[in-house]
Amino acid sequence: MSKIYINAAPRIKEKSEKNSSRVIAFDIFRFNAQYDILPTYKRYELTVKKSEVLLDALNRIKAEIDPSLSYRKSCRHGICGSCALKAQNQAVLACKANLFELADRYGDVLMIDPLDKSLAIKDLIVDKTRFWDNYRAVSPWLEAPIEDAPKKENLIEPKVADRLNGADACVECGICFYSCPAVAKNKEFLGPAALAKSYRFVADVRDQKINDRLRFVDSQKTGVWDCAKCYQCYEVCPKEVSPIDKIIELREKGFSAGVAKDSIASRHAKAFLTSIAKRGRLDEAANVRASLGTFGALMRIREAFVMFRRGKLPFTTPKIEKRDEVKKLIDIASRSRKDDQ
Ligand code: FES
């Protein structure tokens, strides 16, 4: 028995090694903003192992084939957020993206791009100035009277820390920011990462500027009401921070703290709840009137006519049966939210 075991071991090892490597081609975006007018794609081929991630491949290309290739990296453990880029148009952390998994999904030729081609400085490196400006704008630090050199940590109970709801896991990679359609459309919008960071301190019981923070993120054009709730940030976040949930929390906290300004968006949110509580369903017409006012609603008469023709705008929205059940659910949700705060 021992003879079979000793002889078989190298063959098993040889076979498993053979099965665990494959050739992958990388078409990498190349561009130097100092000299180039247009970008190009350069192909590099590597035999990669099953355990390797995209960052390993970039490191090998740089070390073994082309030292001019530029990209950001630091920790290699999904902590620093610097290696964010796009693999086959999907935003990923290069140090967390397994090459076999990418090739299984997209094939053995992978297109590698920067997070936003229009912001490329050199190859896969983008200019993140706007991202960091927005990040700084939300004062991403604890505002509390803590001594410069405290003798012990300023701890909070784990149960209280749970209210951060994972917001502290953000690694500022910028994936949500550069994937957000509202950021692309509205140059003033703070974006999902900065708003999630603001929530991280709003939810911290030690912070003493919570209402100032809520007022800041309630601003029109820049703040929470400019999120279109498309959930793209939820889809792409590699750390499962789910910035959209934090944005919704900030809206609700703004109402609870009495700092939410009267605006079309805030009136829309209130009208939505009123409509559900009153009829058990969404009353589109009442919602438009409440959000825009009667004059504003009249200005939309053309859209209303189109909606009516398509059966989306009944003259009256009937109440549903068991409306009391819906009201009970709303009361329970409101109470549990208050308990959480
Ligand atoms: S290198 Fe730090 S997150 Fe990838």
Side-chain angles (χ1 to χ4, degrees):
M1 279 297 286
S2 62
K3 196 176 171 192
I4 293 168
Y5 172 76
I6 290 164
N7 287 340
R11 277 206 298 278
I12 291 167
K13 191 167 175 250
E14 198 179 295
K15 196 173 170 209
S16 76
E17 271 177 2
K18 199 172 165 201
N19 284 343
S20 64
S21 69
R22 68 203 277 182
V23 177
I24 295 181
F26 301 87
D27 284 343
I28 302 186
F29 179 93
R30 303 301 309 266
F31 180 67
N32 186 333
Q34 266 191 313
Y35 310 110
D36 298 334
I37 296 171
L38 290 172
T40 52
Y41 283 86
K42 197 163 172 188
R43 179 166 292 193
Y44 304 90
E45 279 187 7
L46 286 180
T47 302
V48 302
K49 290 198 218 98
K50 199 166 187 176
S51 58
E52 285 184 298
V53 292
L54 181 51
L55 185 59
D56 296 327
L58 295 176
N59 288 340
R60 283 180 53 203
I61 291 168
K62 190 171 177 74
E64 298 165 19
I65 309 173
D66 185 348
S68 72
L69 179 65
S70 300
Y71 51 95
R72 287 194 177 109
K73 62 161 183 174
S74 182
C75 70
R76 206 221 174 259
H77 289 288
I79 304 294
C80 72
S82 54
C83 67
L85 44 73
K86 281 187 175 171
Q88 212 64 22
N89 218 22
Q90 297 300 311
V92 293
L93 289 178
C95 67
K96 300 304 277 180
N98 178 272
L99 287 170
F100 269 46
E101 284 171 21
L102 285 176
D104 285 346
R105 190 173 309 157
Y106 303 117
D108 287 338
V109 180
L110 296 172
M111 188 170 275
I112 309 298
D113 284 299
L115 276 183
D116 184 334
K117 289 184 209 171
S118 69
L119 297 175
I121 301 171
K122 175 119 194 329
D123 304 336
L124 304 173
I125 297 174
V126 292
D127 176 359
K128 285 177 79 175
T129 304
R130 182 180 165 201
F131 174 83
W132 290 119
D133 284 350
N134 291 358
Y135 182 75
R136 264 190 296 275
V138 298
S139 307
W141 52 79
L142 192 69
E143 295 278 10
I146 297 172
E147 296 162 37
D148 284 348
K151 298 220 167 38
K152 58 184 176 72
E153 289 172 89
N154 187 10
L155 297 174
I156 51 175
E157 293 290 320
K159 208 174 143 223
V160 181
D162 282 349
R163 291 185 196 168
L164 303 187
N165 196 12
D168 50 338
C170 174
V171 294
E172 288 94 42
C173 62
I175 285 180
C176 62
F177 185 79
Y178 295 105
S179 304
C180 171
V183 165
K185 178 98 180 119
N186 172 1
K187 299 293 172 218
E188 293 173 59
F189 181 43
L190 285 166
L195 291 171
K197 184 56 71 177
S198 179
Y199 171 84
R200 184 256 169 269
F201 292 100
V202 164
D204 193 319
V205 288
R206 298 166 299 179
D207 198 87
Q208 299 201 334
K209 294 256 171 90
I210 290 174
N211 280 4
D212 290 346
R213 293 182 190 279
L214 289 172
R215 255 179 233 110
F216 183 71
V217 299
D218 190 66
S219 308
Q220 285 203 22
K221 289 204 173 157
T222 60
V224 289
W225 299 105
D226 286 271
C227 161
K229 282 170 90 177
C230 68
Y231 278 75
Q232 185 68 5
C233 57
Y234 166 83
E235 292 288 336
V236 296
C237 177
K239 305 298 282 186
E240 297 181 14
V241 170
S242 189
I244 177 63
D245 291 332
K246 299 354 179 223
I247 292 171
I248 291 169
E249 283 285 337
L250 286 172
R251 288 180 181 181
E252 287 175 4
K253 283 183 186 295
F255 279 128
S256 312
V259 304
K261 289 186 214 66
D262 184 44
S263 67
I264 292 177
S266 63
R267 285 198 296 274
H268 180 84
K270 274 191 211 160
F272 200 100
L273 184 63
T274 311
S275 164
I276 300 289
K278 202 165 154 194
R279 301 192 171 272
R281 67 174 73 195
L282 183 61
D283 182 344
E284 297 275 9
N287 206 341
V288 171
R289 273 200 311 280
S291 311
L292 302 176
T294 307
F295 182 68
L298 283 173
M299 298 293 285
R300 302 288 173 97
I301 202 78
R302 241 178 97 194
E303 286 109 304
F305 184 65
V306 174
M307 284 173 75
F308 177 71
R309 272 210 331 207
R310 294 188 179 162
K312 291 189 172 178
L313 198 63
F315 274 118
T316 54
T317 302
K319 292 175 184 171
I320 63 159
E321 282 176 35
K322 298 193 179 168
R323 198 167 41 94
D324 291 348
E325 298 290 312
V326 176
K327 276 199 88 173
K328 264 187 223 159
L329 286 173
I330 292 175
D331 289 344
I332 292 166
S334 313
R335 268 203 307 278
S336 77
R337 189 163 291 285
K338 274 193 192 120
D339 292 346
D340 282 350
Q341 288 173 350

mmCIF file of all heavy atoms in Angstrom, residues 55 72-84 93-96 171 173 239, ligand 1:
data_model
loop_
_atom_site.group_PDB
_atom_site.id
_atom_site.type_symbol
_atom_site.label_atom_id
_atom_site.label_comp_id
_atom_site.label_asym_id
_atom_site.label_seq_id
_atom_site.Cartn_x
_atom_site.Cartn_y
_atom_site.Cartn_z
ATOM 1 N N LEU A 55 -4.926 41.286 -9.973
ATOM 2 C CA LEU A 55 -3.763 42.094 -9.592
ATOM 3 C C LEU A 55 -2.458 41.311 -9.771
ATOM 4 O O LEU A 55 -1.439 41.887 -10.179
ATOM 5 C CB LEU A 55 -3.894 42.586 -8.139
ATOM 6 C CG LEU A 55 -2.788 43.533 -7.672
ATOM 7 C CD1 LEU A 55 -2.721 44.788 -8.534
ATOM 8 C CD2 LEU A 55 -2.980 43.924 -6.208
ATOM 9 N N ARG A 72 -2.911 51.345 -10.010
ATOM 10 C CA ARG A 72 -2.727 51.584 -8.574
ATOM 11 C C ARG A 72 -2.899 50.284 -7.800
ATOM 12 O O ARG A 72 -3.725 49.448 -8.149
ATOM 13 C CB ARG A 72 -3.769 52.598 -8.064
ATOM 14 C CG ARG A 72 -3.527 54.028 -8.507
ATOM 15 C CD ARG A 72 -4.386 54.982 -7.686
ATOM 16 N NE ARG A 72 -4.132 56.358 -8.045
ATOM 17 C CZ ARG A 72 -4.989 57.134 -8.706
ATOM 18 N NH1 ARG A 72 -6.162 56.655 -9.072
ATOM 19 N NH2 ARG A 72 -4.675 58.385 -8.978
ATOM 20 N N LYS A 73 -2.162 50.164 -6.726
ATOM 21 C CA LYS A 73 -2.304 49.006 -5.825
ATOM 22 C C LYS A 73 -1.624 49.346 -4.504
ATOM 23 O O LYS A 73 -0.799 50.263 -4.441
ATOM 24 C CB LYS A 73 -1.641 47.771 -6.425
ATOM 25 C CG LYS A 73 -0.149 47.957 -6.614
ATOM 26 C CD LYS A 73 0.577 46.670 -6.770
ATOM 27 C CE LYS A 73 2.081 46.949 -6.877
ATOM 28 N NZ LYS A 73 2.893 45.762 -6.888
ATOM 29 N N SER A 74 -1.987 48.599 -3.477
ATOM 30 C CA SER A 74 -1.238 48.743 -2.236
ATOM 31 C C SER A 74 -1.350 47.480 -1.400
ATOM 32 O O SER A 74 -0.425 46.699 -1.325
ATOM 33 C CB SER A 74 -1.730 49.960 -1.443
ATOM 34 O OG SER A 74 -0.963 50.105 -0.290
ATOM 35 N N CYS A 75 -2.538 47.234 -0.807
ATOM 36 C CA CYS A 75 -2.610 46.195 0.237
ATOM 37 C C CYS A 75 -2.672 44.758 -0.297
ATOM 38 O O CYS A 75 -2.243 43.835 0.360
ATOM 39 C CB CYS A 75 -3.825 46.461 1.114
ATOM 40 S SG CYS A 75 -5.388 46.169 0.266
ATOM 41 N N ARG A 76 -3.261 44.543 -1.436
ATOM 42 C CA ARG A 76 -3.567 43.228 -2.030
ATOM 43 C C ARG A 76 -4.562 42.414 -1.209
ATOM 44 O O ARG A 76 -4.686 41.221 -1.356
ATOM 45 C CB ARG A 76 -2.282 42.404 -2.235
ATOM 46 C CG ARG A 76 -2.384 41.370 -3.345
ATOM 47 C CD ARG A 76 -1.723 40.063 -2.979
ATOM 48 N NE ARG A 76 -1.934 39.049 -3.984
ATOM 49 C CZ ARG A 76 -2.834 38.093 -3.855
ATOM 50 N NH1 ARG A 76 -3.613 38.026 -2.792
ATOM 51 N NH2 ARG A 76 -2.986 37.197 -4.807
ATOM 52 N N HIS A 77 -5.284 43.068 -0.320
ATOM 53 C CA HIS A 77 -6.239 42.329 0.510
ATOM 54 C C HIS A 77 -7.619 42.978 0.558
ATOM 55 O O HIS A 77 -8.356 42.782 1.518
ATOM 56 C CB HIS A 77 -5.684 42.169 1.927
ATOM 57 C CG HIS A 77 -4.537 41.213 1.985
ATOM 58 N ND1 HIS A 77 -4.706 39.855 1.843
ATOM 59 C CD2 HIS A 77 -3.210 41.423 2.117
ATOM 60 C CE1 HIS A 77 -3.516 39.264 1.898
ATOM 61 N NE2 HIS A 77 -2.600 40.186 2.063
ATOM 62 N N GLY A 78 -7.944 43.800 -0.436
ATOM 63 C CA GLY A 78 -9.283 44.406 -0.456
ATOM 64 C C GLY A 78 -9.503 45.411 0.653
ATOM 65 O O GLY A 78 -10.641 45.648 1.068
ATOM 66 N N ILE A 79 -8.423 46.021 1.155
ATOM 67 C CA ILE A 79 -8.542 46.947 2.290
ATOM 68 C C ILE A 79 -8.310 48.391 1.878
ATOM 69 O O ILE A 79 -8.969 49.302 2.367
ATOM 70 C CB ILE A 79 -7.509 46.594 3.398
ATOM 71 C CG1 ILE A 79 -7.670 45.137 3.848
ATOM 72 C CG2 ILE A 79 -7.623 47.535 4.583
ATOM 73 C CD1 ILE A 79 -8.961 44.830 4.551
ATOM 74 N N CYS A 80 -7.354 48.624 0.970
ATOM 75 C CA CYS A 80 -6.989 50.021 0.665
ATOM 76 C C CYS A 80 -7.858 50.620 -0.435
ATOM 77 O O CYS A 80 -7.955 51.841 -0.555
ATOM 78 C CB CYS A 80 -5.522 50.110 0.274
ATOM 79 S SG CYS A 80 -5.165 49.418 -1.359
ATOM 80 N N GLY A 81 -8.497 49.800 -1.242
ATOM 81 C CA GLY A 81 -9.407 50.287 -2.290
ATOM 82 C C GLY A 81 -8.711 50.881 -3.497
ATOM 83 O O GLY A 81 -9.372 51.383 -4.409
ATOM 84 N N SER A 82 -7.375 50.814 -3.552
ATOM 85 C CA SER A 82 -6.691 51.534 -4.638
ATOM 86 C C SER A 82 -6.683 50.785 -5.976
ATOM 87 O O SER A 82 -6.471 51.389 -7.009
ATOM 88 C CB SER A 82 -5.254 51.882 -4.221
ATOM 89 O OG SER A 82 -4.578 50.735 -3.818
ATOM 90 N N CYS A 83 -6.914 49.478 -5.985
ATOM 91 C CA CYS A 83 -6.765 48.715 -7.231
ATOM 92 C C CYS A 83 -8.052 48.603 -8.046
ATOM 93 O O CYS A 83 -8.143 47.766 -8.936
ATOM 94 C CB CYS A 83 -6.226 47.317 -6.922
ATOM 95 S SG CYS A 83 -7.401 46.310 -6.003
ATOM 96 N N ALA A 84 -9.048 49.452 -7.741
ATOM 97 C CA ALA A 84 -10.334 49.368 -8.460
ATOM 98 C C ALA A 84 -10.152 49.662 -9.948
ATOM 99 O O ALA A 84 -9.466 50.619 -10.324
ATOM 100 C CB ALA A 84 -11.326 50.345 -7.848
ATOM 101 N N LEU A 93 -12.417 45.098 -7.614
ATOM 102 C CA LEU A 93 -11.107 45.299 -6.994
ATOM 103 C C LEU A 93 -10.196 44.243 -7.625
ATOM 104 O O LEU A 93 -10.479 43.038 -7.518
ATOM 105 C CB LEU A 93 -11.177 45.093 -5.486
ATOM 106 C CG LEU A 93 -11.918 46.166 -4.676
ATOM 107 C CD1 LEU A 93 -11.929 45.790 -3.194
ATOM 108 C CD2 LEU A 93 -11.287 47.537 -4.860
ATOM 109 N N ALA A 94 -9.108 44.671 -8.264
ATOM 110 C CA ALA A 94 -8.251 43.714 -8.980
ATOM 111 C C ALA A 94 -7.695 42.650 -8.041
ATOM 112 O O ALA A 94 -7.468 41.509 -8.446
ATOM 113 C CB ALA A 94 -7.119 44.462 -9.683
ATOM 114 N N CYS A 95 -7.505 43.012 -6.774
ATOM 115 C CA CYS A 95 -6.911 42.049 -5.844
ATOM 116 C C CYS A 95 -7.933 41.049 -5.305
ATOM 117 O O CYS A 95 -7.582 40.135 -4.563
ATOM 118 C CB CYS A 95 -6.202 42.760 -4.701
ATOM 119 S SG CYS A 95 -7.312 43.649 -3.615
ATOM 120 N N LYS A 96 -9.221 41.245 -5.636
ATOM 121 C CA LYS A 96 -10.244 40.300 -5.182
ATOM 122 C C LYS A 96 -10.863 39.528 -6.351
ATOM 123 O O LYS A 96 -11.718 38.670 -6.139
ATOM 124 C CB LYS A 96 -11.376 41.032 -4.434
ATOM 125 C CG LYS A 96 -10.956 41.795 -3.197
ATOM 126 C CD LYS A 96 -10.253 40.976 -2.169
ATOM 127 C CE LYS A 96 -11.168 40.224 -1.263
ATOM 128 N NZ LYS A 96 -10.391 39.437 -0.275
ATOM 129 N N VAL A 171 -14.049 51.119 1.671
ATOM 130 C CA VAL A 171 -12.601 51.263 1.497
ATOM 131 C C VAL A 171 -12.266 52.396 0.515
ATOM 132 O O VAL A 171 -11.139 52.502 0.027
ATOM 133 C CB VAL A 171 -11.937 49.941 1.032
ATOM 134 C CG1 VAL A 171 -12.032 48.886 2.115
ATOM 135 C CG2 VAL A 171 -12.542 49.441 -0.274
ATOM 136 N N CYS A 173 -12.879 52.876 -2.572
ATOM 137 C CA CYS A 173 -12.330 52.446 -3.867
ATOM 138 C C CYS A 173 -12.886 53.290 -5.014
ATOM 139 O O CYS A 173 -12.282 53.379 -6.079
ATOM 140 C CB CYS A 173 -12.641 50.973 -4.109
ATOM 141 S SG CYS A 173 -14.406 50.605 -4.192
ATOM 142 N N LYS A 239 -17.591 45.675 -1.022
ATOM 143 C CA LYS A 239 -17.549 45.461 0.429
ATOM 144 C C LYS A 239 -18.951 45.367 1.035
ATOM 145 O O LYS A 239 -19.114 45.411 2.250
ATOM 146 C CB LYS A 239 -16.769 46.607 1.109
ATOM 147 C CG LYS A 239 -15.378 46.827 0.576
ATOM 148 C CD LYS A 239 -14.470 45.639 0.763
ATOM 149 C CE LYS A 239 -13.952 45.527 2.172
ATOM 150 N NZ LYS A 239 -12.946 44.450 2.293
HETATM 151 S S1 FES B 1 -4.703 46.503 -3.512
HETATM 152 FE FE1 FES B 1 -5.765 47.286 -1.769
HETATM 153 S S2 FES B 1 -7.841 46.880 -2.237
HETATM 154 FE FE2 FES B 1 -6.753 45.961 -3.862
#
